[in-house]
Amino acid sequence: MFRGVARSGGALVLVIMALVGAFLAYRALLALRKAGPSFLTTQEWNPDSGAFGIAAVIVGTILIALVAIVVATVLAVGVALYISEFAPRWLRGFLIASVDLMAAVPSVVFGLWGAFFLQWEVLGLSRWISDWFGWIPIFRVHGATRHDPLATETVYTSSTFIAGLVVALMVAPIACSVMREAFSQAPPGEREGAYALGATRWGMIGSVVLPFGKGAIIGGTMLGLGRALGETIAVVMIISPVFVIQPRILENGTSSVSSLIATHYGESSPFALSALFAAGLALFVMTLIVNFIAASIVARSRSGAVSEV
């Protein structure tokens, strides 16, 4: 009975995913027939004039998600390790509840906070990164003068970097919960064995806890990446949409597939709506690829499969 229920549940998930993909493909067929392969290479978005594609919004989506996942992974691993290894027992329950509660905060709240508070507080950081690391192409900002305290700060607002920071704070609690659960289940015998061999606490963490939780770190990171790729409202409230490939993450202007759909859905003609479904299909496929890669990586690095003790 259990085997039948488990198989039925797995099959139902696959059927629902297939139906969603088929629905998106059917609604996108009109636009894809007209655009052809240029849909993947065109940066402009003007479906009613016949010039439209997802090159710019896909690049923006990937860059925002990468900034978010880099920041979120560092935060999630640090918080998970503190809760499982360092926090006093009386504080641990409060911290776990607080992290879980952050995951329930609506994205519109994060968007408001990011647009009206965070981005104005991190402009100094954006300027500092641009001043000292502007020789790296992704940190270069056109229109910014190096080490000029009177230079305008508007070139740094509504950027990929700021949107990525906000999304990072949204996905970090999810990744942290997955990692913390795995870290807390590291075998006590291996912990004690590491101490018996003379390891410090950090040595024990590096040789027992982190190897045991490697699968959870990868899984939590990829789970957060999947959430970051599809984040909509918070990104819409922060970014300034541009339909050109914008690889400079500190500079004003970017875009994403989800924000494109959210901002153009209500005013689109039937053909433009088909083009939006095509963009949604591309995001759907990209998210599936990320999740399949994550599943294969986790399958090869199960938590607890490897230990250095």
Side-chain angles (χ1 to χ4, degrees):
M1 183 181 297
F2 175 77
R3 187 182 299 112
V5 172
R7 288 178 176 175
S8 299
L12 181 61
V13 170
L14 294 177
V15 169
I16 292 174
M17 287 176 55
L19 290 175
V20 171
F23 170 76
L24 291 173
Y26 173 74
R27 295 298 300 267
L29 194 58
L30 179 64
L32 292 176
R33 281 177 175 173
K34 183 172 183 178
S38 65
F39 180 72
L40 298 175
T41 58
T42 302
Q43 301 182 42
E44 184 182 354
W45 186 264
N46 195 354
D48 292 326
S49 68
F52 63 97
I54 59 170
V57 293
I58 281 290
V59 171
T61 300
I62 294 173
L63 288 177
I64 291 173
L66 288 179
V67 171
I69 208 61
V70 168
V71 176
T73 300
V74 174
L75 288 175
V77 172
V79 173
L81 282 177
Y82 177 76
I83 292 176
S84 65
E85 305 299 326
F86 295 96
R89 187 178 299 274
W90 60 268
L91 183 60
R92 194 170 300 165
F94 171 76
L95 292 177
I96 292 173
S98 299
V99 171
D100 293 342
L101 186 62
M102 280 188 62
V105 176
S107 59
V108 66
V109 175
F110 278 102
L112 288 170
W113 175 74
F116 293 100
F117 177 78
L118 180 65
Q119 76 169 332
W120 304 108
E121 298 298 323
V122 301
L123 290 182
L125 176 60
S126 298
R127 182 192 294 275
W128 183 84
I129 296 174
S130 175
D131 285 346
W132 292 101
F133 300 98
W135 51 274
I136 302 175
I138 63 171
F139 297 136
R140 188 176 302 142
V141 177
H142 289 168
T145 304
R146 191 168 185 260
H147 299 308
D148 181 5
L150 300 179
T152 178
E153 293 185 330
T154 55
V155 293
Y156 300 103
T157 58
S158 304
S159 65
T160 299
F161 178 64
I162 295 172
L165 288 180
V166 174
V167 175
L169 295 177
M170 298 177 63
V171 304
I174 301 173
C176 178
S177 296
V178 175
M179 297 175 192
R180 173 189 54 77
E181 189 65 27
F183 293 160
S184 65
Q185 294 179 9
E190 294 191 11
R191 291 173 181 266
E192 295 170 1
Y195 285 132
L197 292 172
T200 63
R201 177 177 290 187
W202 280 110
M204 182 275 295
I205 290 173
S207 61
V208 176
V209 176
L210 291 180
F212 182 85
K214 182 169 64 174
I217 294 175
I218 297 172
T221 299
M222 302 305 284
L223 182 64
L225 179 59
R227 166 80 186 274
L229 287 171
E231 182 51 47
T232 304
I233 298 301
V235 175
V236 169
M237 299 179 69
I238 293 171
I239 66 172
S240 177
V242 292
F243 295 104
V244 294
I245 293 178
Q246 162 60 295
R248 298 175 296 277
I249 65 173
L250 299 176
E251 188 174 319
N252 180 285
T254 186
S255 190
S256 70
V257 175
S258 56
S259 66
L260 169 71
I261 296 172
T263 54
H264 289 77
Y265 178 80
E267 57 188 26
S268 296
S269 63
F271 181 78
L273 191 60
S274 177
L276 291 178
F277 273 104
L281 177 63
L283 181 62
F284 178 76
V285 171
M286 184 169 63
T287 305
L288 282 183
I289 292 173
V290 169
N291 287 324
F292 282 138
I293 293 174
S296 64
I297 294 174
V298 172
R300 291 198 301 267
S301 58
R302 293 293 183 186
S303 293
V306 179
S307 175
E308 297 179 3
V309 176

